[in-house]
């Protein structure tokens, strides 16, 4: 059972918008710690997608955006593309447990 | 170009030991927190351990405390994970990642597979 809670799966058609939620608590997201998001394509290592709640590393398309409010955060993907099909993980810091990840969300592009 | 290359993964019996290494290049290794993150087959990501730039601070997930030891050699641009008293539940791909603590994991290696089985 992960400290951060994500939906196991989401899906959308090409061109659509999808969001992935990440719910934490008062010792992690709610304590003000940043949320980061990672994309893991099948058979590859994770890749940083969003850092510091809302920031995109160089090279990440602006179709990907992040937000944070209270004890939760969200990743939004607009203009969904087939190549976006992957597992997505949120991550933060927890003052009781150290670095923590969400359980991951599998995005299916229909 | 930042590169992280792990090595040392293998098949080991329960109760055995293994030492993972991560060779870093393309950045000033001594100025970054470094971490190990693992992923059991078909499962999600789990942070395992991290170490401060000068090695003065180390943290571990509860399930490996007392069994795993993270270390680094800044002169060799290398990160290590000594794993003792291995259990079946330690079976995973182990990734070396730059970052940790309150910082994101901004670069990852390709991973090395550790299998604990008799």
């Amino acid at each position: 059972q992960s400290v951060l809670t994500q939906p196991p799966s989401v899906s959308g058609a090409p061109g659509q918008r999808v969001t992935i939620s990440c719910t934490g608590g008062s010792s992690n997201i709610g304590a003000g710690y940043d949320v980061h998001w990672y994309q893991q394509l099948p058979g590859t290592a994770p890749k940083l997608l969003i850092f510091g709640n809302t920031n995109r590393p160089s090279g990440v398309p602006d179709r990907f955006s992040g937000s944070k409010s209270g004890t939760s955060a969200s990743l939004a993907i607009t203009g969904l593309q087939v190549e976006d099909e992957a597992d997505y993980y949120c991550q933060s810091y927890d003052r009781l447990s150290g670095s923590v990840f969400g359980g991951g969300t599998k995005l299916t592009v229909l | 170009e930042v590169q992280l290359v792990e090595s040392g993964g293998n098949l080991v019996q329960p109760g055995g030991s293994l030492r993972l290494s991560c060779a870093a290049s393309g950045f000033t290794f001594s100025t970054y927190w470094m971490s190990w993150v693992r992923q059991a087959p078909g499962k999600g990501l789990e942070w395992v351990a991290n170490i401060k730039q000068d090695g003065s601070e180390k943290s571990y997930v509860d399930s490996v405390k007392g069994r795993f030891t993270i270390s680094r050699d800044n002169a060799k641009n290398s990160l290590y994970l000594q794993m003792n008293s291995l259990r079946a539940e330690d079976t995973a791909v182990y990734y070396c990642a730059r970052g940790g603590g309150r910082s994101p994991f901004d670069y990852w290696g390709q991973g090395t597979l550790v299998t604990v089985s008799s």
Side-chain angles (χ1 to χ4, degrees):
Chain A
Q1 193 155 342
S2 303
V3 173
L4 305 179
T5 301
Q6 298 180 234
S9 63
V10 297
S11 62
Q16 285 190 333
R17 178 181 186 269
V18 296
T19 61
I20 299 173
S21 61
C22 174
T23 303
S26 58
S27 60
N28 43 71
I29 300 175
Y33 295 111
D34 286 342
V35 177
H36 318 295
W37 292 90
Y38 303 86
Q39 178 192 59
Q40 187 175 32
L41 297 170
T44 70
K47 167 192 165 186
L48 180 64
L49 197 63
I50 297 288
F51 67 95
N53 307 313
T54 60
N55 304 290
R56 285 186 308 277
S58 174
V60 173
D62 60 6
R63 302 185 297 105
F64 296 91
S65 63
S67 63
K68 174 190 166 185
S69 177
T71 58
S72 295
S74 289
L75 172 71
I77 310 172
T78 58
L80 207 55
Q81 299 181 3
V82 172
E83 53 263 38
D84 297 334
E85 193 159 284
D87 293 325
Y88 292 84
Y89 295 90
C90 62
Q91 179 254 317
S92 186
Y93 181 82
D94 185 283
R95 59 171 174 240
L96 303 175
S97 310
S99 295
V100 290
F101 286 94
T105 298
K106 181 177 181 61
L107 169 62
T108 301
V109 181
L110 304 169
Chain B
E1 178 194 5
V2 172
Q3 282 199 316
L4 299 169
V5 180
E6 302 94 335
S7 60
N10 211 333
L11 170 64
V12 61
Q13 291 189 340
S17 298
L18 211 54
R19 189 196 197 206
L20 306 184
S21 299
C22 170
S25 61
F27 66 102
T28 306
F29 180 73
S30 61
T31 64
Y32 287 88
W33 280 80
M34 294 296 297
S35 300
W36 290 97
V37 177
R38 68 184 177 183
Q39 186 170 35
K43 302 298 184 181
L45 301 172
E46 180 183 42
W47 166 75
V48 175
N50 62 29
I51 185 168
K52 195 177 178 180
Q53 290 90 333
D54 61 359
S56 62
E57 291 183 31
K58 304 175 185 181
S59 297
Y60 302 90
V61 68
D62 283 349
S63 59
V64 309
K65 283 179 182 175
R67 300 189 299 122
F68 289 12
T69 302
I70 189 172
S71 63
R72 64 191 296 162
D73 185 335
N74 287 342
K76 294 183 178 180
N77 292 336
S78 292
L79 178 71
Y80 306 100
L81 186 67
Q82 177 66 43
M83 303 186 295
N84 299 331
S85 302
L86 282 161
R87 306 167 180 167
E89 54 265 35
D90 296 318
T91 294
V93 173
Y94 284 73
Y95 294 102
C96 167
R98 192 176 82 169
R102 290 154 182 75
S103 301
F105 305 113
D106 59 355
Y107 286 93
W108 299 64
Q110 85 289 349
T112 188
L113 177 61
V114 172
T115 303
V116 184
S117 174
S118 55

Short mmCIF file of all heavy atoms in Angstrom, two decimals, chain A residues 33-34 36 38 40 44-48 51-52 87 89 91-93 96-103, chain B residues 35 37 39 43-47 50 60-62 95 100-111:
data_model
loop_
_atom_site.label_atom_id
_atom_site.label_comp_id
_atom_site.label_asym_id
_atom_site.label_seq_id
_atom_site.Cartn_x
_atom_site.Cartn_y
_atom_site.Cartn_z
N TYR A 33 5.63 19.66 0.80
CA TYR A 33 6.71 19.10 -0.02
C TYR A 33 6.26 19.03 -1.48
O TYR A 33 5.11 18.77 -1.80
CB TYR A 33 7.11 17.72 0.49
CG TYR A 33 7.72 17.75 1.87
CD1 TYR A 33 7.06 17.21 2.96
CD2 TYR A 33 8.96 18.35 2.09
CE1 TYR A 33 7.60 17.26 4.24
CE2 TYR A 33 9.51 18.41 3.35
CZ TYR A 33 8.82 17.87 4.43
OH TYR A 33 9.37 17.93 5.69
N ASP A 34 7.23 19.23 -2.36
CA ASP A 34 6.94 19.22 -3.80
C ASP A 34 6.53 17.84 -4.29
O ASP A 34 6.93 16.81 -3.74
CB ASP A 34 8.18 19.67 -4.58
CG ASP A 34 8.43 21.16 -4.47
OD1 ASP A 34 7.50 21.91 -4.10
OD2 ASP A 34 9.56 21.59 -4.77
N HIS A 36 6.58 15.42 -7.75
CA HIS A 36 7.24 15.21 -9.03
C HIS A 36 6.54 14.06 -9.74
O HIS A 36 5.96 13.17 -9.10
CB HIS A 36 8.72 14.87 -8.83
CG HIS A 36 9.39 15.70 -7.78
ND1 HIS A 36 9.57 17.06 -7.90
CD2 HIS A 36 9.91 15.36 -6.56
CE1 HIS A 36 10.17 17.53 -6.82
NE2 HIS A 36 10.38 16.52 -5.99
N TYR A 38 6.75 11.09 -13.00
CA TYR A 38 7.65 10.32 -13.87
C TYR A 38 6.82 9.52 -14.86
O TYR A 38 5.71 9.05 -14.55
CB TYR A 38 8.51 9.34 -13.04
CG TYR A 38 9.32 10.05 -11.98
CD1 TYR A 38 8.77 10.32 -10.74
CD2 TYR A 38 10.61 10.49 -12.25
CE1 TYR A 38 9.49 11.00 -9.77
CE2 TYR A 38 11.34 11.17 -11.29
CZ TYR A 38 10.77 11.42 -10.05
OH TYR A 38 11.48 12.11 -9.11
N GLN A 40 7.07 6.16 -17.33
CA GLN A 40 7.84 4.96 -17.60
C GLN A 40 7.23 4.24 -18.80
O GLN A 40 6.17 3.62 -18.69
CB GLN A 40 7.89 4.03 -16.39
CG GLN A 40 8.83 2.85 -16.60
CD GLN A 40 8.99 1.98 -15.36
OE1 GLN A 40 8.08 1.84 -14.56
NE2 GLN A 40 10.17 1.40 -15.19
N THR A 44 11.40 0.34 -20.14
CA THR A 44 12.46 1.35 -20.00
C THR A 44 12.50 1.89 -18.58
O THR A 44 11.61 1.64 -17.78
CB THR A 44 12.25 2.52 -20.97
OG1 THR A 44 11.11 3.28 -20.56
CG2 THR A 44 12.05 2.03 -22.40
N ALA A 45 13.54 2.65 -18.28
CA ALA A 45 13.67 3.29 -16.98
C ALA A 45 12.72 4.49 -16.90
O ALA A 45 12.35 5.07 -17.91
CB ALA A 45 15.12 3.76 -16.78
N PRO A 46 12.32 4.85 -15.70
CA PRO A 46 11.48 6.05 -15.53
C PRO A 46 12.21 7.30 -16.03
O PRO A 46 13.44 7.37 -16.03
CB PRO A 46 11.24 6.11 -14.03
CG PRO A 46 11.48 4.72 -13.54
CD PRO A 46 12.56 4.18 -14.41
N LYS A 47 11.40 8.28 -16.39
CA LYS A 47 11.92 9.57 -16.88
C LYS A 47 11.17 10.68 -16.14
O LYS A 47 9.94 10.61 -16.00
CB LYS A 47 11.69 9.68 -18.38
CG LYS A 47 11.88 11.05 -18.98
CD LYS A 47 11.34 11.10 -20.40
CE LYS A 47 11.17 12.51 -20.90
NZ LYS A 47 10.52 12.58 -22.23
N LEU A 48 11.92 11.67 -15.68
CA LEU A 48 11.29 12.80 -14.99
C LEU A 48 10.44 13.59 -15.97
O LEU A 48 10.92 14.03 -17.02
CB LEU A 48 12.35 13.70 -14.37
CG LEU A 48 11.86 14.93 -13.61
CD1 LEU A 48 11.04 14.53 -12.38
CD2 LEU A 48 13.04 15.82 -13.20
N PHE A 51 8.64 18.41 -12.36
CA PHE A 51 9.29 18.54 -11.07
C PHE A 51 8.80 19.81 -10.38
O PHE A 51 8.35 20.76 -11.03
CB PHE A 51 10.82 18.55 -11.21
CG PHE A 51 11.38 19.75 -11.92
CD1 PHE A 51 11.84 20.85 -11.20
CD2 PHE A 51 11.46 19.78 -13.31
CE1 PHE A 51 12.36 21.95 -11.85
CE2 PHE A 51 11.98 20.88 -13.98
CZ PHE A 51 12.43 21.97 -13.25
N GLY A 52 8.87 19.81 -9.05
CA GLY A 52 8.43 20.99 -8.32
C GLY A 52 6.99 21.36 -8.58
O GLY A 52 6.66 22.53 -8.72
N ASP A 87 3.26 4.01 -17.99
CA ASP A 87 2.93 4.10 -16.57
C ASP A 87 3.42 5.45 -16.04
O ASP A 87 4.51 5.89 -16.39
CB ASP A 87 3.59 2.97 -15.78
CG ASP A 87 3.03 1.60 -16.16
OD1 ASP A 87 1.83 1.51 -16.45
OD2 ASP A 87 3.81 0.63 -16.15
N TYR A 89 3.98 7.86 -12.51
CA TYR A 89 4.14 7.81 -11.06
C TYR A 89 4.30 9.20 -10.49
O TYR A 89 5.06 10.02 -11.03
CB TYR A 89 5.39 7.00 -10.69
CG TYR A 89 5.33 5.54 -11.05
CD1 TYR A 89 5.78 5.10 -12.30
CD2 TYR A 89 4.85 4.60 -10.14
CE1 TYR A 89 5.73 3.76 -12.64
CE2 TYR A 89 4.80 3.26 -10.48
CZ TYR A 89 5.24 2.84 -11.71
OH TYR A 89 5.20 1.51 -12.04
N GLN A 91 5.58 11.35 -7.03
CA GLN A 91 6.58 11.14 -5.98
C GLN A 91 6.70 12.41 -5.16
O GLN A 91 6.61 13.52 -5.70
CB GLN A 91 7.93 10.76 -6.60
CG GLN A 91 9.07 10.53 -5.62
CD GLN A 91 10.07 11.66 -5.60
OE1 GLN A 91 10.47 12.17 -6.64
NE2 GLN A 91 10.53 12.05 -4.42
N SER A 92 6.89 12.24 -3.87
CA SER A 92 7.09 13.38 -3.00
C SER A 92 8.02 12.96 -1.86
O SER A 92 8.59 11.87 -1.88
CB SER A 92 5.75 13.88 -2.47
OG SER A 92 5.90 15.07 -1.71
N TYR A 93 8.15 13.84 -0.88
CA TYR A 93 8.93 13.53 0.31
C TYR A 93 7.97 13.43 1.48
O TYR A 93 7.03 14.23 1.60
CB TYR A 93 9.98 14.62 0.56
CG TYR A 93 10.83 14.36 1.77
CD1 TYR A 93 11.92 13.50 1.70
CD2 TYR A 93 10.52 14.94 3.00
CE1 TYR A 93 12.70 13.24 2.81
CE2 TYR A 93 11.29 14.69 4.12
CZ TYR A 93 12.39 13.83 4.02
OH TYR A 93 13.14 13.56 5.13
N LEU A 96 8.06 11.26 7.58
CA LEU A 96 8.13 10.03 8.37
C LEU A 96 8.82 8.89 7.62
O LEU A 96 9.43 8.01 8.22
CB LEU A 96 6.73 9.57 8.77
CG LEU A 96 5.88 10.58 9.54
CD1 LEU A 96 4.48 10.04 9.75
CD2 LEU A 96 6.55 10.94 10.85
N SER A 97 8.73 8.90 6.28
CA SER A 97 9.16 7.74 5.49
C SER A 97 10.28 8.03 4.49
O SER A 97 10.82 7.10 3.91
CB SER A 97 7.98 7.17 4.72
OG SER A 97 6.86 6.96 5.55
N GLY A 98 10.60 9.30 4.27
CA GLY A 98 11.57 9.63 3.23
C GLY A 98 10.87 9.83 1.89
O GLY A 98 9.71 10.20 1.83
N SER A 99 11.59 9.54 0.80
CA SER A 99 10.99 9.67 -0.53
C SER A 99 9.90 8.62 -0.70
O SER A 99 10.09 7.45 -0.33
CB SER A 99 12.05 9.49 -1.61
OG SER A 99 13.01 10.51 -1.56
N VAL A 100 8.78 9.02 -1.25
CA VAL A 100 7.66 8.10 -1.45
C VAL A 100 7.09 8.25 -2.86
O VAL A 100 7.06 9.35 -3.41
CB VAL A 100 6.54 8.31 -0.41
CG1 VAL A 100 7.00 7.85 0.97
CG2 VAL A 100 6.10 9.77 -0.34
N PHE A 101 6.62 7.13 -3.40
CA PHE A 101 6.00 7.10 -4.71
C PHE A 101 4.53 6.72 -4.59
O PHE A 101 4.13 6.03 -3.64
CB PHE A 101 6.68 6.06 -5.61
CG PHE A 101 8.03 6.44 -6.13
CD1 PHE A 101 9.18 6.07 -5.45
CD2 PHE A 101 8.16 7.18 -7.30
CE1 PHE A 101 10.44 6.41 -5.93
CE2 PHE A 101 9.41 7.52 -7.79
CZ PHE A 101 10.55 7.15 -7.09
N GLY A 102 3.76 7.14 -5.58
CA GLY A 102 2.42 6.60 -5.74
C GLY A 102 2.53 5.21 -6.35
O GLY A 102 3.59 4.80 -6.82
N GLY A 103 1.43 4.49 -6.33
CA GLY A 103 1.43 3.13 -6.85
C GLY A 103 1.53 3.01 -8.36
O GLY A 103 1.74 1.93 -8.89
N SER B 35 20.63 8.26 -5.18
CA SER B 35 19.66 7.32 -4.61
C SER B 35 19.63 5.99 -5.36
O SER B 35 20.11 5.89 -6.49
CB SER B 35 18.25 7.92 -4.67
OG SER B 35 18.17 9.13 -3.94
N VAL B 37 16.58 3.23 -6.32
CA VAL B 37 15.13 3.00 -6.40
C VAL B 37 14.94 1.63 -7.03
O VAL B 37 15.65 1.29 -7.98
CB VAL B 37 14.44 4.08 -7.27
CG1 VAL B 37 12.95 3.79 -7.40
CG2 VAL B 37 14.67 5.47 -6.67
N GLN B 39 12.24 -1.70 -8.43
CA GLN B 39 10.94 -2.03 -9.01
C GLN B 39 10.83 -3.54 -9.11
O GLN B 39 11.51 -4.16 -9.94
CB GLN B 39 10.78 -1.37 -10.38
CG GLN B 39 9.41 -1.54 -10.99
CD GLN B 39 9.21 -0.68 -12.22
OE1 GLN B 39 10.14 -0.45 -13.00
NE2 GLN B 39 8.00 -0.17 -12.40
N LYS B 43 5.52 -4.53 -10.66
CA LYS B 43 5.08 -3.65 -9.57
C LYS B 43 5.55 -2.21 -9.80
O LYS B 43 6.17 -1.90 -10.81
CB LYS B 43 5.62 -4.16 -8.23
CG LYS B 43 5.19 -5.58 -7.90
CD LYS B 43 3.69 -5.71 -7.75
CE LYS B 43 3.30 -7.11 -7.32
NZ LYS B 43 1.81 -7.26 -7.20
N GLY B 44 5.23 -1.35 -8.83
CA GLY B 44 5.59 0.05 -8.94
C GLY B 44 6.98 0.36 -8.42
O GLY B 44 7.74 -0.54 -8.03
N LEU B 45 7.29 1.64 -8.39
CA LEU B 45 8.60 2.10 -7.95
C LEU B 45 8.65 2.21 -6.43
O LEU B 45 7.67 2.61 -5.80
CB LEU B 45 8.91 3.47 -8.56
CG LEU B 45 8.93 3.52 -10.09
CD1 LEU B 45 9.05 4.97 -10.57
CD2 LEU B 45 10.04 2.67 -10.66
N GLU B 46 9.80 1.87 -5.87
CA GLU B 46 10.01 2.00 -4.42
C GLU B 46 11.38 2.58 -4.17
O GLU B 46 12.40 2.00 -4.57
CB GLU B 46 9.88 0.65 -3.72
CG GLU B 46 10.09 0.74 -2.21
CD GLU B 46 10.04 -0.61 -1.51
OE1 GLU B 46 10.59 -1.59 -2.04
OE2 GLU B 46 9.45 -0.67 -0.40
N TRP B 47 11.41 3.73 -3.49
CA TRP B 47 12.69 4.31 -3.09
C TRP B 47 13.34 3.38 -2.06
O TRP B 47 12.68 2.90 -1.13
CB TRP B 47 12.47 5.70 -2.50
CG TRP B 47 13.65 6.22 -1.77
CD1 TRP B 47 14.81 6.70 -2.29
CD2 TRP B 47 13.81 6.28 -0.35
NE1 TRP B 47 15.67 7.08 -1.28
CE2 TRP B 47 15.08 6.82 -0.09
CE3 TRP B 47 12.99 5.94 0.73
CZ2 TRP B 47 15.56 7.03 1.21
CZ3 TRP B 47 13.45 6.15 2.02
CH2 TRP B 47 14.73 6.68 2.24
N ASN B 50 19.10 6.76 0.02
CA ASN B 50 19.79 7.90 -0.58
C ASN B 50 20.96 8.33 0.28
O ASN B 50 21.08 7.94 1.44
CB ASN B 50 18.84 9.05 -0.89
CG ASN B 50 18.15 9.63 0.34
OD1 ASN B 50 18.69 9.61 1.44
ND2 ASN B 50 16.98 10.19 0.14
N TYR B 60 17.18 5.23 4.57
CA TYR B 60 16.75 3.96 4.00
C TYR B 60 15.25 3.76 4.20
O TYR B 60 14.67 4.23 5.20
CB TYR B 60 17.47 2.79 4.68
CG TYR B 60 18.97 2.84 4.60
CD1 TYR B 60 19.72 3.49 5.58
CD2 TYR B 60 19.66 2.25 3.54
CE1 TYR B 60 21.10 3.55 5.51
CE2 TYR B 60 21.04 2.29 3.46
CZ TYR B 60 21.75 2.95 4.45
OH TYR B 60 23.11 3.01 4.38
N VAL B 61 14.62 3.03 3.30
CA VAL B 61 13.25 2.60 3.53
C VAL B 61 13.28 1.57 4.65
O VAL B 61 14.28 0.84 4.82
CB VAL B 61 12.65 2.01 2.23
CG1 VAL B 61 13.33 0.70 1.84
CG2 VAL B 61 11.15 1.83 2.35
N ASP B 62 12.23 1.51 5.44
CA ASP B 62 12.23 0.65 6.63
C ASP B 62 12.55 -0.81 6.31
O ASP B 62 13.24 -1.48 7.09
CB ASP B 62 10.87 0.73 7.33
CG ASP B 62 10.69 2.00 8.12
OD1 ASP B 62 11.68 2.74 8.33
OD2 ASP B 62 9.55 2.29 8.54
N TYR B 95 17.47 0.62 -9.74
CA TYR B 95 17.89 1.78 -10.51
C TYR B 95 18.74 2.72 -9.65
O TYR B 95 18.38 2.99 -8.48
CB TYR B 95 16.68 2.57 -11.00
CG TYR B 95 15.80 1.87 -12.01
CD1 TYR B 95 14.59 1.30 -11.62
CD2 TYR B 95 16.15 1.81 -13.36
CE1 TYR B 95 13.76 0.68 -12.54
CE2 TYR B 95 15.33 1.19 -14.28
CZ TYR B 95 14.15 0.63 -13.87
OH TYR B 95 13.33 0.02 -14.79
N GLY B 100 17.34 12.92 -4.73
CA GLY B 100 16.94 12.29 -3.49
C GLY B 100 16.75 13.34 -2.42
O GLY B 100 16.97 14.53 -2.65
N GLY B 101 16.34 12.91 -1.23
CA GLY B 101 15.97 13.87 -0.21
C GLY B 101 14.73 14.60 -0.70
O GLY B 101 13.76 13.97 -1.09
N ARG B 102 14.79 15.88 -0.74
CA ARG B 102 13.65 16.66 -1.21
C ARG B 102 13.74 16.99 -2.71
O ARG B 102 12.85 17.62 -3.27
CB ARG B 102 13.52 17.95 -0.40
CG ARG B 102 13.07 17.70 1.03
CD ARG B 102 13.55 18.79 1.96
NE ARG B 102 13.17 18.57 3.36
CZ ARG B 102 13.74 17.69 4.16
NH1 ARG B 102 14.70 16.92 3.71
NH2 ARG B 102 13.34 17.57 5.42
N SER B 103 14.81 16.53 -3.36
CA SER B 103 15.00 16.80 -4.78
C SER B 103 14.42 15.69 -5.63
O SER B 103 14.38 14.53 -5.19
CB SER B 103 16.49 16.94 -5.10
OG SER B 103 17.07 17.98 -4.35
N PRO B 104 13.98 16.01 -6.85
CA PRO B 104 13.46 14.95 -7.74
C PRO B 104 14.59 14.06 -8.24
O PRO B 104 15.76 14.43 -8.19
CB PRO B 104 12.84 15.76 -8.89
CG PRO B 104 13.61 17.04 -8.90
CD PRO B 104 13.92 17.34 -7.47
N PHE B 105 14.21 12.90 -8.74
CA PHE B 105 15.16 11.99 -9.37
C PHE B 105 15.21 12.38 -10.85
O PHE B 105 14.36 11.95 -11.63
CB PHE B 105 14.70 10.55 -9.20
CG PHE B 105 14.47 10.16 -7.76
CD1 PHE B 105 13.20 9.87 -7.30
CD2 PHE B 105 15.53 10.07 -6.87
CE1 PHE B 105 12.98 9.51 -5.97
CE2 PHE B 105 15.33 9.71 -5.55
CZ PHE B 105 14.04 9.43 -5.09
N ASP B 106 16.18 13.20 -11.22
CA ASP B 106 16.13 13.78 -12.56
C ASP B 106 16.84 12.96 -13.64
O ASP B 106 16.60 13.19 -14.82
CB ASP B 106 16.63 15.23 -12.55
CG ASP B 106 18.05 15.38 -12.06
OD1 ASP B 106 18.66 14.37 -11.62
OD2 ASP B 106 18.57 16.51 -12.12
N TYR B 107 17.68 12.04 -13.25
CA TYR B 107 18.29 11.11 -14.21
C TYR B 107 18.33 9.72 -13.60
O TYR B 107 18.58 9.58 -12.39
CB TYR B 107 19.70 11.55 -14.62
CG TYR B 107 19.71 12.74 -15.54
CD1 TYR B 107 19.81 14.04 -15.04
CD2 TYR B 107 19.57 12.58 -16.93
CE1 TYR B 107 19.80 15.13 -15.88
CE2 TYR B 107 19.56 13.67 -17.78
CZ TYR B 107 19.67 14.95 -17.24
OH TYR B 107 19.66 16.03 -18.07
N TRP B 108 18.10 8.73 -14.45
CA TRP B 108 18.04 7.34 -14.02
C TRP B 108 18.97 6.49 -14.89
O TRP B 108 19.14 6.74 -16.07
CB TRP B 108 16.63 6.79 -14.16
CG TRP B 108 15.59 7.49 -13.35
CD1 TRP B 108 15.18 8.80 -13.47
CD2 TRP B 108 14.78 6.93 -12.32
NE1 TRP B 108 14.19 9.09 -12.58
CE2 TRP B 108 13.92 7.95 -11.85
CE3 TRP B 108 14.69 5.66 -11.75
CZ2 TRP B 108 12.98 7.73 -10.83
CZ3 TRP B 108 13.76 5.44 -10.73
CH2 TRP B 108 12.92 6.47 -10.28
N GLY B 109 19.52 5.44 -14.28
CA GLY B 109 20.25 4.45 -15.06
C GLY B 109 19.27 3.49 -15.71
O GLY B 109 18.05 3.62 -15.57
N GLN B 110 19.82 2.50 -16.39
CA GLN B 110 18.97 1.53 -17.10
C GLN B 110 18.51 0.39 -16.18
O GLN B 110 17.61 -0.37 -16.54
CB GLN B 110 19.73 0.95 -18.30
CG GLN B 110 20.65 -0.23 -18.01
CD GLN B 110 21.91 0.15 -17.23
OE1 GLN B 110 22.22 1.34 -17.06
NE2 GLN B 110 22.64 -0.85 -16.74
N GLY B 111 19.11 0.30 -15.01
CA GLY B 111 18.69 -0.71 -14.03
C GLY B 111 19.50 -1.99 -14.10
O GLY B 111 20.06 -2.34 -15.15
#
